[in-house]
Amino acid sequence: MSNPTAGPVAGPLAGRRAQAARNDEVILEAARAVFLADPKAPIAAVAERAGVGISALYRRYAGKEDLLRRLCHDGLRRYVAEAEAVLAEPDPWRALTGFLARVVDADVHSLTVHLAGTFTPTEEMGRDAVRANELAAELVERAHAGGRLRPDVVVQDLGLLLEACAAVRVPDPDRTRQLRRRQLAVLLAGLSVGADAEPLPGPPPAAGEFDWRWRRRE
């Protein structure tokens, strides 16, 4: 007689699901590496790097655009998660700099810039993008109110700062991380209020000024 209180027994289905999840992670890691090197690379290059058959890849993603969209959306979700993670920090400057360090370490912007305009974003991505902008704006506003962030810095400056850090890349991943953190420290010094700080040159980047990059390129 079976025991009605016993938990579910892991069977072949659970094993297949676990394997499918592992395969998906391998595919995404391979896609990230392939498209970071060449956004125009064919999807077959991803399958080859991942060590899976092209049919296995197509079972998960209908085509290259779906895969690109997934990679970029994952990066957007990570950005939102890192911003939400620092909201409880009472020191506004530590919250802002901690958020930037988290995003730099996660290497979110490397692919974002490379893949912009290569796929059509979904409505969900649009909602997440709005949330990301709201969170970043909140962190900037708090840092301004705390008196540590120079008053002529705007939220759009953060995107340019993150792109500058993402552009730093050497063959050694650990050294890349070290150099990016160093670059971030240099840039943060420029964001901090100083007694002799001169006004930043030129008008600040405007809201939506870089949206043209997300227009679909045929």
Side-chain angles (χ1 to χ4, degrees), residues 80-105:
V80 169
E82 298 299 358
E84 292 175 338
V86 301
L87 290 179
E89 168 58 56
D91 184 318
W93 181 250
R94 287 175 61 89
L96 178 63
T97 59
F99 160 68
L100 292 171
R102 286 168 176 260
V103 174
V104 167
D105 286 347

Side-chain angles (χ1 to χ4, degrees), residues 23-162:
N23 288 345
D24 196 47
E25 184 176 348
V26 169
I27 288 171
L28 290 173
E29 288 179 357
R32 180 179 175 82
V34 167
F35 295 135
L36 188 57
D38 179 11
K40 296 182 179 180
I43 198 170
V46 176
E48 181 179 358
R49 186 179 181 94
V52 301
I54 192 69
S55 58
L57 195 153
Y58 276 120
R59 280 197 296 271
R60 291 168 176 79
Y61 302 97
K64 180 179 176 178
E65 183 171 349
D66 281 350
L67 187 52
L68 295 175
R69 190 161 34 232
R70 167 66 185 275
L71 287 171
C72 206
H73 200 178
D74 282 353
L76 180 57
R77 291 189 184 109
R78 180 67 180 272
Y79 184 97
V80 169
E82 298 299 358
E84 292 175 338
V86 301
L87 290 179
E89 168 58 56
D91 184 318
W93 181 250
R94 287 175 61 89
L96 178 63
T97 59
F99 160 68
L100 292 171
R102 286 168 176 260
V103 174
V104 167
D105 286 347
D107 198 15
V108 167
H109 277 64
S110 292
L111 266 183
T112 300
V113 175
H114 275 68
L115 301 185
T118 61
F119 61 87
T120 302
T122 63
E123 291 184 3
E124 184 182 3
M125 291 183 72
R127 290 191 295 270
D128 286 342
V130 170
R131 175 61 174 161
N133 289 332
E134 291 173 345
L135 289 166
E138 180 178 351
L139 292 172
V140 168
E141 290 170 6
R142 289 175 56 192
H144 277 313
R148 184 72 184 275
L149 181 64
R150 53 185 301 158
D152 49 357
V153 170
V154 298
V155 66
Q156 289 79 19
D157 285 313
L158 300 190
L160 297 178
L161 178 150
L162 291 168

